[in-house]
Amino acid sequence: MGLFYTSGLFEIIFFIMFFTVFGVIIFTLVKGVGEWNKNNHSPRLTVDAKVISKRLDVSHHQHANAGDETGAHGFTTTSSTTYYVTFQVESGDRMDFHVSGNEYGMLIEGDYGKLNFQGTRYLGFDRRRV
């Protein structure tokens, strides 16, 4: 009787965890498609702006390694970097955008210019001399 109870409890916990993970994946996909669609329906704007700050987020991921020809087992570590730039527009509002590593390297805090964006999508920044 005890083994059946434990097995049934395991199945219940398994299905709860499965549907929770599945639900989170579906929610993330729907949210991403919604933001993409909203950005596509937003107007493309060009406004005067100043680069206020830059930041980056480095994440490390460890992957199990099945082993090489010597039979050694271990882990492989990879990392990825996400770049963000904060702009301040004439009204005083600040906007944070995800940018490419190349754009991140070209922008300097204090730069003035024309910020091009569509919704939450960064399109570019044309620097001006002050």
Side-chain angles (χ1 to χ4, degrees), residues 7-128:
S7 176
L9 183 62
F10 172 77
E11 289 175 4
I12 291 170
I13 292 172
F14 175 79
F15 283 113
I16 289 171
M17 294 302 294
F18 175 79
F19 286 113
T20 300
V21 169
F22 185 72
V24 168
I25 291 169
I26 294 299
F27 174 78
T28 303
L29 287 173
V30 168
K31 184 178 175 187
V33 169
E35 183 173 352
W36 175 81
N37 188 42
K38 183 180 176 187
N39 282 340
N40 284 345
H41 287 89
S42 295
R44 290 178 179 238
L45 300 174
T46 301
V47 297
D48 289 327
K50 177 182 178 182
V51 177
I52 296 298
S53 66
K54 297 168 44 172
R55 65 184 173 85
L56 49 90
D57 180 26
V58 179
S59 53
H60 301 280
H61 308 280
Q62 207 171 46
H63 309 280
N65 194 3
D68 55 20
E69 52 278 347
T70 65
H73 295 277
F75 293 95
T76 301
T77 302
T78 59
S79 63
S80 61
T81 306
T82 307
Y83 302 93
Y84 299 94
V85 178
T86 303
F87 296 91
Q88 183 170 330
V89 296
E90 286 183 316
S91 66
D93 292 331
R94 292 185 177 196
M95 305 170 76
D96 201 33
F97 290 101
H98 172 257
V99 299
S100 70
N102 192 34
E103 281 287 321
Y104 183 87
M106 298 295 290
L107 297 170
I108 300 170
E109 290 182 16
D111 278 350
Y112 286 95
K114 296 283 187 180
L115 170 65
N116 303 300
F117 64 98
Q118 183 178 23
T120 60
R121 186 181 298 145
Y122 173 82
L123 299 176
F125 184 74
D126 298 318
R127 186 178 299 111
R128 274 192 306 194

